[in-house]
Amino acid sequence: MLNSIITPLKTILTRKPPIFVLVPFVFAAIIVLLKWGITPVAPAVFFLAGTGLGIYFMDIAEVFFRLQPSPFRTAVFCAGFAVVAAFVVSSTGSAFASGLVFAVYITLLLWQLGEFSVAGHLGSWYEMFVGRVSRDTQLAGLGIFILFFAVITWIFLH
């Protein structure tokens, strides 16, 4: 029983590309410095812990719930998640939840940027609900998603 949990976790931890770990932690370190300074405080520690979980959260869900194809790699999920992220960041006082949300958001951004750099489009992110979408629409959606990330980051810092 325990082995059936440990083996997938090992797979998740070892297959994660380093950039998907490095970018969220660099972002988190910058946020910690901007929000709390260099003095160690409990919320900063919880924010970093949430970031750590958030980095692997989507992978864990995909593996343990055997989600193929992943419902997370769609524009619909990204839009819904952006709303949830804004709520968590602006309404909760939980640094852990905010760290988790930011890490998941960064993961979604990296997935999209990676697919766009390899395939030259984000067609698979729209296929599930609207079929084909023009490249301009895909870029606009990605741009809005990035802009929204900047806005919720600013909200969190202020």
Side-chain angles (χ1 to χ4, degrees):
M1 174 68 176
L2 187 58
N3 195 35
S4 65
I5 294 172
I6 292 174
T7 302
L9 283 176
K10 281 184 185 178
T11 302
I12 290 167
L13 293 174
T14 57
R15 77 172 184 187
K16 191 77 159 176
I19 195 158
F20 283 83
V21 177
L22 185 62
V23 171
F25 271 124
V26 168
F27 172 82
I30 292 168
I31 293 299
V32 164
L33 289 174
L34 291 173
K35 188 161 180 82
W36 295 289
I38 59 171
T39 306
V41 293
V45 173
F46 287 121
F47 184 81
L48 292 171
T51 299
L53 177 60
I55 289 170
Y56 296 98
F57 190 79
M58 306 291 265
D59 299 298
I60 291 168
E62 287 176 344
V63 169
F64 281 101
F65 296 113
R66 294 185 176 103
L67 301 173
Q68 289 296 340
S70 175
F72 305 132
R73 298 171 195 246
T74 67
V76 170
F77 180 80
C78 287
F81 184 77
V83 171
V84 169
F87 175 77
V88 168
V89 167
S90 66
S91 300
T92 70
S94 173
F96 181 85
S98 294
L100 188 144
V101 161
F102 278 120
V104 169
Y105 207 116
I106 290 169
T107 297
L108 292 168
L109 281 170
L110 290 172
W111 281 346
Q112 290 178 71
L113 293 171
E115 184 169 329
F116 191 82
S117 69
V118 170
H121 60 82
L122 296 171
S124 68
W125 289 75
Y126 294 87
E127 286 175 351
M128 187 179 286
F129 66 101
V130 292
R132 292 196 174 178
V133 175
S134 73
R135 189 169 191 259
D136 289 342
T137 302
Q138 294 170 22
L139 287 174
L142 179 58
I144 291 167
F145 197 60
I146 291 169
L147 179 64
F148 203 76
F149 179 76
V151 168
I152 65 172
T153 301
W154 183 85
I155 290 168
F156 183 72
L157 289 173
H158 293 87

